[in-house]
Amino acid sequence: MSPPRRKVPWWAVGVVVTLVVVLTGWLPADDARELASRTVPILLFVAALTITAEMCAGAGLFDAAARLAARVGGGRRAVLWLLVVVLATLSTAVLSLDTTAVLLTPVVIALARQTRSNPLPWALAVLALANTASLLLPVSNLTNLLADHTLRAQHVSYLGLMWAPALAAIVVTVGVLALRDRSALAGTYDQPPPRTVRDQRLLVVTAVVVGAMAVAFVVGAPPAPTAIVAAAALTALTVLRTRALPVPAKDLVPWRTLLVVAALFAVVATAHAHGLGEWLSRAAGSGDGFGDLLRLAGVGALASNAVNNLPAYLALEPTAGTEPLRVAALLIGTGAGPLITPWGSLATVLWWHRCRQVMLPVPARTIVVQGLLLAPLVVVAAVAALVLV
């Protein structure tokens, strides 16, 4: 019997692809340098924010927030669901959609089970908000960080431009899900048993640091340096208090994911250097009227669901140019639009994996059906809010 064949990991493929397009000159040197200047700070930010999120989970911040929601809910399941919605929205806005998918999902599923609720609607709400609530701040989504670079060059405030579309996307998501799941959210629940916090001081200081980081993001502080400072502070505090890290050091930074993301950046930049932009420009059109912006957002959503929102945003970015309204429309399509396929966003992939880990298998059809219900409504509402406000 022959030994089982080992699959080549995606991160290794990404490294090879990146080296090939750079060393062969398929990606011109000037384009490679410009790409690096934009994306390296973003990848550093993702690494720092991931460390911060792991320290929050290790300190019990997510679990404490869920248990606080259970107490505040007063035994009413619908109120508890709304509080979980708020928690998922805040987690996505401040700590990014991937953090919500990875670290909040198992907490919410456990909370649903403890309150004798059907965990599937709760998990699906987290999935939806991990995507649709990711328009609010530059740090909420990698695509936002890419766009923020363009908007800053135009002296345009990201939050000033995107607050209305972000609010519209969240309100439509919550309204549709509340209507769809109204029977599952009815009734009451018994309070879950209290749990002793392992280190109250660590929990409080962690919450303060995260709150300060959120304020810094809102007022426009540079994302990467801010996240690095928070990560360093929380890591030092955690080691000082517990003499250990919450996860092995080798798993603190998602380096495999970062290598794959870097490869996607390189591949799309290479494709643009060889004519991809011309075809996409014809598909996405031009102009900044409601119909024009909806067309661009729709193309962004379709491309995101077909391949993934990161390469879709990069591929379509030149069609948006530097016009703030077109940049915002593209963000809506690639941020709130990739709800239909399980690979539309990295957050969906991570969420699906976490559900399986906690014994909540979710068929792909369930993700597709929810996405078909939400994506068109969310994208249209967000573009309408962008134009109106």
Side-chain angles (χ1 to χ4, degrees):
M1 182 176 177
S2 59
R5 295 170 58 184
R6 289 188 177 181
K7 294 182 179 180
V8 178
W10 280 109
W11 66 266
V13 174
V15 170
V16 171
V17 168
T18 304
L19 290 175
V20 167
V21 298
V22 172
L23 295 179
T24 60
W26 290 349
L27 178 60
D30 289 343
D31 292 353
R33 282 191 289 269
E34 181 183 356
L35 181 68
S37 69
R38 290 190 63 194
T39 59
V40 169
I42 291 174
L43 296 177
L44 289 174
F45 164 78
V46 173
L49 199 61
T50 301
I51 294 172
T52 300
E54 290 288 2
M55 297 305 141
C56 291
L61 185 61
F62 293 108
D63 186 66
R67 289 182 172 276
L68 176 61
R71 290 197 299 272
V72 174
R76 292 167 293 177
R77 188 169 283 111
V79 175
L80 178 59
W81 184 84
L82 287 173
L83 292 170
V84 167
V85 162
V86 172
L87 180 58
T89 300
L90 292 175
S91 171
T92 299
V94 177
L95 294 175
S96 87
L97 71 171
D98 297 333
T99 294
T100 298
V102 173
L103 298 179
L104 186 61
T105 297
V107 171
V108 169
I109 291 173
L111 178 64
R113 286 169 171 162
Q114 290 167 5
T115 57
R116 297 177 184 254
S117 306
N118 179 1
L120 183 58
W122 300 65
L124 288 172
V126 173
L127 169 63
L129 288 164
N131 288 283
T132 61
S134 70
L135 296 175
L136 188 59
L137 295 175
V139 299
S140 308
N141 199 327
L142 279 181
T143 55
N144 301 356
L145 288 170
L146 291 167
D148 191 45
H149 178 86
T150 301
L151 295 175
R152 284 176 183 262
Q154 301 299 313
H155 306 290
V156 174
S157 163
Y158 179 95
L159 184 59
L161 178 68
M162 293 301 297
W163 72 267
L167 183 60
I170 294 168
V171 169
V172 169
T173 299
V174 175
V176 170
L177 294 183
L179 182 63
R180 183 195 67 181
D181 299 328
R182 60 189 182 279
S183 59
L185 303 180
T188 59
Y189 63 89
D190 295 329
Q191 293 285 351
R195 181 181 297 177
T196 304
V197 177
R198 184 176 59 181
D199 189 329
Q200 185 71 34
R201 183 172 297 177
L202 176 62
L203 175 62
V204 171
V205 175
T206 299
V208 170
V209 171
V210 171
M213 184 178 67
V215 172
F217 288 151
V218 170
V219 300
T226 302
I228 290 171
V229 169
L234 288 180
T235 302
L237 177 65
T238 299
V239 172
L240 181 66
R241 297 287 300 178
T242 66
R243 307 297 179 186
L245 294 171
V247 297
K250 65 182 180 63
D251 296 329
L252 263 182
V253 176
W255 57 270
R256 298 174 185 84
T257 300
L258 296 182
L259 289 174
V260 172
V261 170
L264 289 173
F265 288 156
V267 168
V268 172
T270 303
H272 260 289
H274 294 276
L276 175 64
E278 296 177 8
W279 183 84
L280 290 174
S281 294
R282 289 195 296 270
S286 59
D288 58 5
F290 175 71
D292 301 315
L293 297 178
L294 188 59
R295 176 180 177 180
L296 175 56
V299 171
L302 289 174
S304 297
N305 283 294
V307 288
N308 180 267
N309 67 330
L310 279 175
Y313 177 86
L314 276 179
L316 286 161
E317 187 180 45
T319 69
T322 58
E323 167 57 41
L325 287 178
R326 288 186 62 81
V327 172
L330 180 56
L331 278 180
I332 291 168
T334 57
L339 296 168
I340 300 172
T341 56
W343 57 83
S345 72
L346 178 61
T348 303
V349 176
L350 296 171
W351 174 90
W352 209 15
H353 178 65
R354 293 297 271 175
C355 285
R356 289 196 297 270
Q357 285 183 324
V358 296
M359 305 302 291
L360 182 67
V362 182
R365 181 180 179 277
T366 301
I367 298 174
V368 172
V369 170
Q370 173 167 286
L372 289 172
L373 175 66
L374 283 175
L377 297 174
V378 168
V379 169
V380 171
V383 172
L386 173 67
V387 172
L388 290 173
V389 176

